[in-house]
Amino acid sequence: MLQVSTRQALREALQAARAAGKRIGFVPTMGNLHGGHISLVTAAQQSCDFVVCSIFVNPTQFGLNEDIDNYPRTLDADKSLLDEAGVDLLFTPSVHDMYSDLELTWVEVKGITERHCGASRPNHFRGVATVVCKFLNMVQPDQAFFGRKDFQQLAVIQRMVEDLFIPCDIVGVPTARAPDGLALSSRNGYLTPEERVQAPQLHACILEAKARIDAGEMDYAAITAWAKAELEAGPWKLDYFSVCRQADLAPAEPDDRELVILAAAWLGRARLIDNLILSR
Ligand code: PAF
């Protein structure tokens, strides 16, 4: 696997792949890689001939109260995983490469960013949309791969690409889970052994909510209240648990058919998120 760290080196490395007529797949990450990231790489390899992965801990998507300095950085282990997975090119830019000292241009997607994670993490999605837009402009991939675990992030990126006519196909890859149902995430590393045992409860609550909806329950506010009571009876602090319309992530109405249950909750130091799509 070739590793490059500057835009110029990236351009040169991609030129050869493009000249050879290769279809380029792109997997952006913030490192601290796990099986979920490797499932994105595998999906990219299934439909592309040349897979580019980036590792960049993006400062602009962290809030003032979020500790970017302690974000886990595990570059050597990440490189081994990507190499073993057969990634062709790794791009590891510096903050200086990605942002000028006086950043004047931001990509802001309205509406769908205002609820859920956007409400509890102001400017988070502006940082995500801006950095992903920069990466898509630099790599110019045919396809870019994102986990469905970050459902709202995926919706924001899909919308940005549509609105800005970015010629890249955005692919959502199903959430990779541990055998007990916990969605794989870098944040799972913050869990104590005891919390790790409790962590699958978030997914279990979402499954129970789905079962209630499948059985005909349409009082979504009651489902939210039930989930809050269930989780907060234990060690959790709920951020949100919401039955939404897939199209715009607004709270679902009884007539809506294409739904998604979105949830985020704190367990100790870890803010875990999960979701499930369903049709009625
Ligand atoms: O999902 C992530 O890891 C990040 O938000 C992303 C898409 C790499 C942008 O920094």
Side-chain angles (χ1 to χ4, degrees):
M1 178 179 70
L2 179 64
Q3 179 184 353
V4 293
S5 297
T6 65
R7 272 183 282 158
Q8 178 60 27
L10 174 73
R11 196 174 304 129
E12 284 164 16
L14 285 169
Q15 250 161 18
R18 267 203 204 91
K22 293 194 173 165
R23 191 172 159 73
I24 294 170
F26 177 49
V27 179
T29 81
M30 298 213 299
N32 194 226
L33 303 181
H34 50 70
H37 296 107
I38 300 306
S39 72
L40 302 183
V41 168
T42 306
Q45 288 167 328
Q46 279 160 4
S47 55
C48 299
D49 322 297
F50 189 88
V51 175
V52 184
C53 193
S54 63
I55 296 180
F56 178 64
V57 181
N58 175 33
T60 65
Q61 68 188 77
F62 286 78
L64 291 176
N65 57 341
E66 295 175 27
D67 192 359
I68 185 173
D69 294 334
N70 281 328
Y71 191 85
R73 288 164 171 85
T74 52
L75 187 58
D76 288 341
D78 293 348
K79 282 200 310 206
S80 305
L81 269 181
L82 295 178
D83 203 20
E84 269 168 42
V87 165
D88 298 284
L89 178 62
L90 171 61
F91 181 39
T92 49
S94 66
V95 173
H96 182 70
D97 267 301
M98 295 298 291
Y99 292 101
S100 73
D101 292 341
L102 183 63
E103 192 77 8
L104 296 179
T105 307
W106 296 98
V107 179
E108 204 158 357
V109 178
K110 301 279 187 192
I112 53 171
T113 55
E114 279 147 30
R115 297 189 170 91
H116 318 304
C117 287
S120 33
R121 304 183 71 192
N123 285 334
H124 168 70
F125 287 119
R126 184 182 85 154
V128 170
T130 301
V131 83
V132 171
C133 185
K134 284 173 186 255
F135 274 124
L136 295 181
N137 284 333
M138 285 188 284
V139 178
Q140 300 188 7
D142 296 280
Q143 292 187 306
F145 297 79
F146 297 85
R148 284 203 205 133
K149 180 181 75 67
D150 298 301
F151 192 89
Q152 192 175 12
Q153 168 172 283
L154 178 61
V156 169
I157 291 164
Q158 264 161 341
R159 188 70 218 195
M160 171 190 77
V161 162
E162 272 171 46
D163 286 352
L164 298 182
F165 308 127
I166 298 177
C168 173
D169 179 21
I170 300 298
V171 182
V173 178
T175 303
R177 296 184 183 279
D180 61 9
L182 177 66
L184 300 189
S185 164
S186 301
R187 286 149 186 243
N188 297 349
Y190 295 132
L191 298 169
T192 64
E194 195 192 351
E195 288 163 353
R196 174 62 190 82
V197 173
Q198 295 157 333
Q201 198 190 354
L202 186 62
H203 180 54
C205 270
I206 293 175
L207 289 177
E208 172 69 27
K210 177 183 184 303
R212 287 172 173 231
I213 295 167
D214 287 346
E217 168 85 71
M218 286 194 205
D219 184 347
Y220 301 135
I223 291 179
T224 297
W226 162 80
K228 183 172 169 61
E230 190 80 359
L231 289 164
E232 293 192 346
W236 297 84
K237 176 87 193 78
L238 190 68
D239 183 345
Y240 59 82
F241 191 104
S242 185
V243 183
C244 303
R245 286 198 288 260
Q246 280 176 38
D248 59 4
L249 308 188
E253 302 286 342
D255 284 347
D256 293 322
R257 293 277 168 265
E258 302 304 313
L259 307 179
V260 57
I261 303 169
L262 298 175
W266 287 92
L267 186 56
R269 282 176 61 217
R271 181 176 175 279
L272 302 183
I273 63 173
D274 205 344
N275 67 77
L276 193 68
I277 53 175
L278 63 147
S279 301
R280 282 192 44 241

